[in-house]
Amino acid sequence: MTRNQLGRIEVESETPELDMADRAVFGFSWMLVMALGLMPIIDTSLRRSPSISIPVVIAFFVAVASGLALRRRYSWIGFVLHIVGQIAIWLSIFCMSLAAMLYLSG
């Protein structure tokens, strides 16, 4: 903690800000995970039965790889929350799109 010229206390961040490359990795990994959640819609439009095995493997490795790429910017809690958050978002979008496709297909 330091005092600025006006006498206010400023708390310095332990982790540096995300630069443009880190933001690109972060944004791309979230978009990829959300797109993987929509795979049942794509599978249904291609007349295939929806599969969970390939999207879950890809979503897990995308979440872990992006977390590792951003590890120097995160604490351990942030690292774990990033991975869990991406998997939770993927799972919720996947379940919603699968339920919608099963409902529409009868």
Side-chain angles (χ1 to χ4, degrees):
M1 292 186 347
T2 59
R3 290 193 180 262
N4 63 10
Q5 293 176 347
L6 299 174
R8 295 184 184 143
I9 296 176
E10 295 178 349
V11 178
E12 295 178 13
S13 176
E14 294 179 13
T15 58
E17 296 274 332
L18 293 175
D19 62 355
M20 199 57 157
D22 291 337
R23 288 178 190 212
V25 168
F26 186 80
F28 180 73
S29 68
W30 278 96
M31 286 191 323
L32 187 58
V33 164
M34 288 189 284
L36 285 170
L38 298 174
M39 283 299 290
I41 296 172
I42 296 167
D43 285 340
T44 304
S45 67
L46 294 174
R47 308 259 189 260
R48 298 186 308 200
S49 62
S51 170
I52 194 169
S53 59
I54 297 298
V56 74
V57 169
I58 295 171
F60 176 76
F61 282 115
V62 166
V64 172
S66 65
L68 289 174
L70 299 170
R71 173 62 188 109
R72 66 176 187 265
R73 305 289 185 192
Y74 286 143
S75 64
W76 280 105
I77 293 294
F79 175 71
V80 170
L81 288 176
H82 174 79
I83 293 171
V84 169
Q86 281 197 333
I87 292 171
I89 290 296
W90 168 80
L91 186 60
S92 64
I93 293 173
F94 188 85
C95 288
M96 292 288 286
S97 61
L98 182 62
M101 289 301 100
L102 289 175
Y103 177 76
L104 292 175
S105 67

